[in-house]
Amino acid sequence: MSDIFISKTQFLKGLQCLKSLYLHKYHPELMDEVSESREAVFQSGKDVGVLARGLYPGGVEILFDSNNFAKQLELTKAEIDGGAEIIYEPAFSHDGLFIKADIFKKGGRGWELYEIKNSTKIKAEAFHLEDVAFQYYVLKENGLSISKAYLVHINNQYERQGDIEVDKLFTINDVTKDVKDIQKKIKEHINIQKNILNGKMPKIDIDKYCSDPYDCEFLGHCWEHIPEESVFDLKGRGIKQFELYQKGIIHLKDVPIKLLPLAAQLQVDCALNKKCVMSKAALRDFLDSPWYPLYFLDFETFTSPIPLYDGTKPYQKIPFQYSIHYLEKEGSNLKHHAFLAVPNTDPRKEIAVNLIQQIPKNACVIVYNIGFEKSVLNSLKAWFPEYEDNIDGIINNLHDLMIPFKNQHFYSWQMKGSYSIKAVLPVLVPELSYEGMEISDGDMAMLAYKKMCESTDPSEIEGIRKALLEYCKLDTLGMVRILEALKNF
Ligand code: SF4
């Protein structure tokens, strides 16, 4: 093996950004801390890969060992020489390149290569074809006859009933021709990457590729020079942040404000003058519509590529928790209901039943970002058609508290172009904040719930339970206080 070592993962990073490839190789100490959500995505990919082996059962696995690549190569060779028909994770190398294939299967006309993805389609922007093509290149250079190359991804139309049907959960795409067609490009890029790794750190500035298709692990290092109030805070359609940046316009104060869409003009004006704006008439219109009894509802959900319950599909949002604050009439005491699923149980029916018991038919139901809560309620309705009328009653009475902020009827410089409740709450209700909370957003709640399901430690489970209840409660209490604050203007 030559000195230059490029694994498939590194090759794909190099396609996204050559500086990232270089930093991975020579300056891993500059890498950002691995977030829990990134680890969860990684683990989910592994789980899906293992499940997909059920498509071709009975294979032999070559275990990954980051300290001993040579051993994996030896074991793979031994299995092939020994007549293995199906191999999971076989290792191959060629001239400083290294790959582990997901599934390698002997067909009538040669070996078949299967690359498993936990996405629901082939993603050109995520280099899925290049991924298989790189493997194909290394395999061919090993003198192996490859008859077919396949990309296997999740079929998001699959609905679980009973045991998982692996052949229905996955869609197998023959990409042999596409992969062969880009062999020249792959070879060229391998040479480019080898030259980069043999040279000095490439001078590459930040650009869209820093977060597309994936967040780079060196954002902290490469984005260090971006000031607190920058063009990257500008939100909204039609704003080309990188075009401004490349013209040397980095700080918000340097932005040619007249060239921006109106919403962004307001954002810049507020940011530079540290001010907030509101349209009292529009706020009044919004505030006139809710009625009593007044309910505030928020769900937490999780998703999984492998559907856990009958009637669910891959990546469908499954509610596991909700919080309701409510006022029966004007001036009455604020009351609260909370629901959090018992770990490893199917929470859907209990959620549907409790909701329709706790929310009266005539209640006005305030949510923040109606699309999300509506989609959860529609799923509950589809799973339990016997509650259709009651759930429709809730859906028809939903009011979206996000509207006045989305429409900039209230906007403060502190919101930095965002109208999420996390941005609005500290501005209007400074005494309530997500800061310092163990769980402070929906993704963290989902990860915490998954961790709670995996844990066998009662004190850990109790700690997560408390943190989840506290977080979801703040979401609905926050809505109550935001509405009060708007009424006081
Ligand atoms: S942060 Fe951007 S510029 Fe820096 S290595 Fe990553 S992709 Fe390249």
Side-chain angles (χ1 to χ4, degrees):
M1 204 186 289
S2 78
D3 287 344
I4 294 296
F5 179 89
I6 303 175
S7 68
K8 187 189 79 168
T9 308
Q10 287 167 333
F11 178 74
L12 296 174
K13 286 184 194 304
L15 287 180
Q16 186 172 340
C17 170
L18 289 166
K19 184 175 174 185
S20 160
L21 172 80
Y22 189 94
L23 288 172
H24 267 100
K25 192 83 178 168
Y26 300 118
H27 293 287
E29 76 282 1
L30 298 177
M31 212 183 281
D32 299 333
E33 219 175 282
V34 181
S35 68
E36 268 194 61
S37 57
R38 191 190 285 259
E39 267 178 24
V41 170
F42 187 61
Q43 186 56 47
S44 153
K46 273 176 140 175
D47 294 344
V48 166
V50 170
L51 187 70
R53 291 177 191 172
L55 290 166
Y56 303 107
V60 56
E61 181 180 1
I62 309 295
L63 291 174
F64 181 70
D65 180 352
S66 59
N67 295 317
N68 200 340
F69 291 93
K71 173 101 179 284
Q72 295 168 74
L73 296 170
E74 274 167 32
L75 288 172
T76 302
K77 187 171 180 320
E79 290 297 342
I80 289 177
D81 292 347
E85 299 272 312
I86 300 170
I87 312 177
Y88 308 134
E89 301 286 324
F92 301 93
S93 73
H94 168 72
D95 194 22
L97 311 175
F98 179 84
I99 63 160
K100 294 270 283 175
D102 285 337
I103 301 176
F104 204 47
K105 174 176 165 291
K106 201 179 256 178
R109 297 179 176 187
W111 287 95
E112 295 171 3
L113 168 69
Y114 294 81
E115 170 64 25
I116 317 297
K117 297 289 177 201
N118 63 356
S119 60
T120 56
K121 59 181 181 184
I122 297 176
K123 291 186 177 172
E125 71 281 10
F127 308 119
H128 283 179
L129 281 177
E130 288 82 352
D131 182 327
V132 186
F134 181 75
Q135 297 179 60
Y136 185 90
Y137 174 82
V138 174
L139 292 167
K140 290 297 280 181
E141 292 298 321
N142 270 266
L144 289 156
S145 159
I146 309 298
S147 60
K148 290 284 181 190
Y150 296 100
L151 256 171
V152 181
H153 62 73
I154 299 279
N155 165 22
N156 61 359
Q157 294 309 305
Y158 168 67
E159 186 176 298
R160 179 171 188 165
Q161 292 298 342
D163 290 340
I164 289 282
E165 298 156 283
V166 183
D167 56 328
K168 292 186 181 153
L169 174 63
F170 291 102
T171 302
I172 302 173
N173 303 277
D174 183 347
V175 292
T176 316
K177 181 174 182 314
D178 311 77
V179 158
K180 283 182 179 171
D181 287 350
I182 57 171
Q183 284 303 293
K184 191 164 168 260
K185 180 181 144 191
I186 296 295
K187 174 101 175 89
E188 281 166 8
H189 222 278
I190 288 168
N191 289 335
I192 291 170
Q193 295 199 7
K194 284 185 173 176
N195 286 337
I196 287 288
L197 292 177
N198 270 323
K200 290 186 182 153
M201 166 113 78
K203 287 192 169 51
I204 293 177
D205 203 354
I206 60 170
D207 210 322
K208 279 186 186 151
Y209 43 66
C210 291
S211 306
D212 183 14
Y214 306 109
D215 273 351
C216 176
E217 288 109 322
F218 296 98
L219 290 174
H221 170 69
C222 295
W223 284 65
E224 232 172 355
H225 61 296
I226 302 300
E228 184 72 11
E229 286 182 335
S230 78
V231 290
F232 298 105
D233 291 332
L234 290 172
K235 302 280 168 24
R237 278 193 208 147
I239 302 168
K240 299 191 166 76
Q241 289 97 337
F242 281 106
E243 273 185 21
L244 292 167
Y245 172 78
Q246 280 148 13
K247 286 179 190 157
I249 300 165
I250 302 175
H251 198 284
L252 276 188
K253 68 178 165 36
D254 301 322
V255 173
I257 192 163
K258 290 279 177 268
L259 298 181
L260 296 175
L262 282 179
Q265 288 189 21
L266 180 84
Q267 191 195 334
V268 175
D269 183 32
C270 288
L272 297 184
N273 297 300
K274 302 277 180 279
K275 68 178 190 184
C276 82
V277 290
M278 73 179 87
S279 158
K280 286 195 178 179
L283 286 179
R284 192 62 40 219
D285 278 351
F286 176 81
L287 293 169
D288 278 348
S289 47
W291 65 89
Y292 292 91
L294 189 52
Y295 279 62
F296 298 81
L297 169 67
D298 181 65
F299 288 114
E300 296 306 324
T301 61
F302 70 85
T303 61
S304 166
I306 305 164
L308 297 187
Y309 312 120
D310 283 357
T312 64
K313 293 179 178 175
Y315 292 112
Q316 189 170 13
K317 294 185 197 89
I318 310 293
F320 63 87
Q321 178 178 19
Y322 69 75
S323 168
I324 293 173
H325 273 92
Y326 62 103
L327 293 157
E328 279 153 349
K329 53 183 192 240
E330 189 153 17
S332 65
N333 287 335
L334 184 66
K335 294 180 183 165
H336 182 242
H337 290 304
F339 175 91
L340 175 56
V342 174
N344 300 310
T345 59
D346 180 352
R348 295 172 297 156
K349 182 140 190 177
E350 218 180 332
I351 285 190
V353 170
N354 284 357
L355 268 184
I356 59 180
Q357 278 173 358
Q358 290 170 354
I359 301 181
K361 270 191 169 169
N362 61 341
C364 173
V365 184
I366 304 273
V367 293
Y368 205 98
N369 189 6
I370 196 167
F372 176 74
E373 262 71 25
K374 206 186 240 184
S375 75
V376 174
L377 288 164
N378 276 322
S379 294
L380 287 170
K381 198 169 74 171
W383 291 319
F384 308 108
E386 62 272 33
Y387 305 132
E388 182 173 345
D389 285 351
N390 303 68
I391 295 173
D392 270 339
I394 299 174
I395 292 174
N396 293 336
N397 289 338
L398 290 178
H399 268 59
D400 193 352
L401 185 56
M402 192 169 77
I403 295 293
F405 306 102
K406 189 175 175 184
N407 293 342
Q408 294 187 323
H409 298 151
F410 175 90
Y411 181 75
S412 162
W413 62 278
Q414 293 147 297
M415 288 157 61
K416 292 195 162 187
S418 166
Y419 41 82
S420 80
I421 192 168
K422 270 73 184 170
V424 171
L425 186 65
V427 177
L428 288 181
V429 194
E431 64 275 20
L432 290 185
S433 167
Y434 293 88
E435 237 170 74
M437 290 182 77
E438 213 172 297
I439 297 170
S440 57
D441 63 41
D443 284 348
M444 287 173 89
M446 177 164 84
L447 292 173
Y449 179 67
K450 285 188 173 171
K451 201 167 174 184
M452 187 161 89
C453 289
E454 284 157 12
S455 178
T456 51
D457 175 355
S459 68
E460 184 181 46
I461 294 172
E462 189 47 31
I464 297 174
R465 221 184 97 75
K466 275 191 185 149
L468 279 168
L469 287 168
E470 199 183 325
Y471 165 68
C472 199
K473 186 177 181 182
L474 181 59
D475 270 346
T476 47
L477 182 61
M479 284 190 251
V480 176
R481 300 293 180 231
I482 287 169
L483 194 68
E484 281 172 3
L486 292 182
K487 281 181 181 168
N488 288 334
F489 285 135

